[in-house]
Amino acid sequence: MQTAENDLRLEMLNSLLTTPHRQLEQVADLHLDMMANDPLFYGHLATWYHKKGEVRDHQEVFIAYLLTSDLTEHRDAGFMLLQDLPPYQVARVVGFIKTHFGGRLPRSTRTAVTQYLRKREHDPAFFDRAALRGRKALKQLYASLHIKPNERADNILFKEQPPQDSVLYALKQVAKAETAEEQAHLIKHHKIP
């Protein structure tokens, strides 16, 4: 029994080193087996990997399996880990769950994504930076989960009329600037990446 458990753990750790980019299906079964056979280790490994691991694909699969787990502790951990991801990764986690778990999101996952979006909406500067880098992913999250954005998010993402205090408004001004010096000044002043 001890050897089989060690082999499964070793196989999981080896897969963390050999994952091909953006081919989550190749590791999904291993994650499922590991979670079913050793849920305690899986939960600890997922949180450790979120902090120390570098392969984003595994981070996303770990969070997806935690969010869809039958264990409350796993769902709680997945909820918290999701909050740290950039928008494009949250969209990938949601897409993975929809693809591999019958097209429906568990209510707790929808709640996690809603809280993720509300946290960003609460701080306009934080939301603007997220929208600057992950506009498409944010739109996808709001639209696919039927989450109503606040007024600012709606103006920025769907109406394409960012408020004048928004970095996205400044980005539009950069596009309209006629000289490179004017563009450089606006980029530096508004700290646009």
Side-chain angles (χ1 to χ4, degrees), residues 32-51:
L32 185 61
D33 289 344
M34 185 65 179
M35 191 167 77
N37 293 321
D38 198 349
L40 181 62
F41 178 71
Y42 187 84
H44 288 291
L45 182 61
T47 55
W48 173 84
Y49 197 81
H50 185 74
K51 292 177 186 173

Side-chain angles (χ1 to χ4, degrees), residues 104-128:
R104 292 187 49 114
L105 239 55
R107 193 176 324 157
S108 60
T109 301
R110 190 178 191 288
T111 302
V113 174
T114 301
Q115 183 171 328
Y116 175 89
L117 294 170
R118 298 297 180 233
K119 179 180 176 185
R120 277 143 188 81
E121 288 176 351
H122 184 70
D123 181 354
F126 189 30
F127 182 83
D128 289 355

